[in-house]
């Protein structure tokens, strides 16, 4: 976010270090979710808040759980796996929200309840094999590239219907909806356009075969844009920094960006 428009005031999220800090941050985010839902004439209970704990050490995540987080999202499987083990005594479920390589499917199956970044049949088949062996199912969201940036992960909108048809042959994968990352830009109209595109993909699929999308969740919106996402129909906002505090690790570590076209490994 370092090369944002100069006119945008820098958003600093102070680091939450006590249960009270987390309780305050969660309350503030929930209030903004409720206000955004009200603006859109929506019921705030339709919007799930998924706290994203990436880069946050397990002992600090523990405080967030004490403040009420019951579900946590992580981008990278290795990191998530370590935290799930360190916090195994707590009643939390884990969601993996980042691009997956097929050789990590086994790890996802070992600890995650949800995978939000399904973007290829190869990964779908790898998960299906491991899930079948473990005799379990996995909730998944299909990631869609709504920003038309060639380097972004996710299916092209035009390919989603066919992809969902193929995934529906894999009984271990329970498709719950779609996920996207908007453009990273201070121009909220461009951001809004990405979210509208995701909703339009859902409506197109529903017109053909509503069963392909299960409940039709739309996972869209992060710390910088979740209110716009809710106005455009988000049912799951993935919020990290506004709850845990600013991250030192640049976002380009987690997804390829125009500024850093080489995707990081993992
Ligand atoms: C890190 C991350 C988020 C949350 O971003 P914040 O800026 O911390 O709110 C959301 N979605 C994905 C896929 C992420 O990797």
């Amino acid at each position: 976010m370092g090369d944002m428009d100069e006119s945008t005031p820098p958003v600093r999220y102070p680091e939450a270090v006590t249960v009270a800090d987390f309780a305050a941050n969660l309350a503030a985010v929930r209030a903004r979710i409720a206000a955004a839902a009200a603006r859109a004439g929506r019921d705030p209970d339709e919007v799930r808040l998924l706290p994203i704990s990436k880069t946050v050490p397990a002992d600090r995540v523990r405080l967030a759980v004490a403040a009420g987080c019951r579900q946590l999202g992580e981008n990278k499987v290795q990191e998530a796996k370590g935290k799930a083990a360190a916090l195994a005594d707590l009643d939390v479920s884990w969601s993996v929200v980042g691009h997956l390589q097929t050789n990590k499917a086994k790890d996802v199956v070992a600890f995650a309840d949800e995978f939000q970044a399904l973007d290829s049949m190869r990964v779908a088949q790898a998960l299906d094999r491991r899930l079948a062996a473990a005799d379990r199912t996995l909730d998944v969201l299909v990631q869609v590239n709504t920003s038309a940036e060639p380097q972004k992960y996710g299916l092209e909108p035009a390919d989603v219907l066919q992809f969902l048809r193929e995934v529906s042959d894999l009984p271990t994968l329970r498709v719950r909806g779609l996920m996207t990352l908007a453009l990273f830009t201070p121009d909220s109209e461009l951001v809004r356009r990405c979210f509208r595109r995701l909703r339009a993909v859902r409506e197109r699929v529903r017109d053909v075969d509503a069963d392909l999308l299960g409940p039709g969740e739309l996972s869209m919106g992060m710390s910088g844009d979740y209110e716009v996402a809710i106005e455009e129909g988000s049912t799951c906002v993935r919020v990290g920094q506004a709850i845990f505090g600013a991250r030192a690790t640049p976002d380009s570590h987690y997804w390829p960006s125009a500024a850093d076209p080489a995707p990081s490994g993992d």
Side-chain angles (χ1 to χ4, degrees):
M1 314 268 272
D3 48 13
M4 268 194 168
D5 184 337
E6 301 271 309
S7 63
T8 308
V11 181
R12 278 304 295 183
Y13 301 104
E15 184 174 77
V17 293
T18 65
V19 176
D21 290 345
F22 279 109
N25 289 353
L26 287 164
V29 171
R30 290 206 177 98
R32 298 179 80 127
I33 288 173
R39 279 197 299 279
R42 301 183 57 206
D43 177 352
D45 291 343
E46 290 172 12
V47 184
R48 163 164 67 123
L49 171 58
L50 176 60
I52 305 293
S53 51
K54 70 190 188 206
T55 77
V56 180
D59 54 349
R60 218 150 58 76
V61 177
R62 194 173 276 281
L63 303 178
V65 174
C69 297
R70 286 291 167 268
Q71 192 182 28
L72 293 163
E74 287 278 343
N75 187 293
K76 300 220 182 239
V77 176
Q78 285 312 107
E79 182 180 347
K81 193 179 159 191
K83 278 181 222 175
L87 303 174
D89 57 307
L90 302 179
D91 179 23
V92 288
S93 69
W94 295 87
S95 177
V96 173
V97 300
H99 177 75
L100 186 67
Q101 298 194 331
T102 50
N103 62 355
K104 301 271 168 63
K106 171 169 55 101
D107 294 327
V108 169
V109 169
F111 74 88
D113 291 288
E114 180 183 71
F115 173 51
Q116 291 210 353
L118 185 63
D119 61 359
S120 78
M121 273 317 285
R122 280 192 61 215
V123 168
Q125 282 156 353
L127 285 168
D128 178 63
R129 245 183 340 264
R130 296 292 185 174
L131 288 161
D135 193 23
R136 58 160 296 199
T137 61
L138 181 68
D139 287 355
V140 295
L141 279 74
V142 172
Q143 184 168 357
V144 182
N145 180 348
T146 55
S147 58
E149 297 164 288
Q151 72 280 3
K152 271 247 177 88
Y153 293 124
L155 295 173
E156 291 306 309
D159 297 336
V160 172
L161 180 61
Q162 180 57 30
F163 181 76
L164 288 168
R165 286 188 167 129
E166 290 172 31
V167 170
S168 71
D169 289 334
L170 305 177
T172 59
L173 296 179
R174 305 196 328 144
V175 175
R176 313 299 289 165
L178 305 172
M179 181 273 241
T180 202
L181 293 164
L183 273 177
F184 295 102
T185 166
D187 183 339
S188 68
E189 278 316 302
L190 294 179
V191 170
R192 193 180 291 278
R193 216 173 282 170
C194 296
F195 297 145
R196 283 198 178 143
R197 215 166 272 149
L198 193 70
R199 190 174 57 187
V201 172
R202 180 184 68 184
E203 301 320 314
R204 225 178 302 140
V205 172
R206 277 181 167 168
D207 284 347
V208 178
D209 183 352
D211 290 343
L212 290 174
L213 276 175
E217 272 211 61
L218 296 178
S219 174
M220 51 191 202
M222 313 181 9
S223 292
D225 58 19
Y226 68 91
E227 292 158 283
V228 174
I230 289 166
E231 289 169 10
E232 295 303 331
S234 174
T235 67
C236 175
V237 292
R238 309 178 308 268
V239 178
Q241 298 180 86
I243 294 172
F244 291 92
R247 260 189 315 277
T249 317
D251 284 341
S252 57
H253 181 66
Y254 295 96
W255 50 78
S257 70
D260 173 23
S264 70
D266 185 280

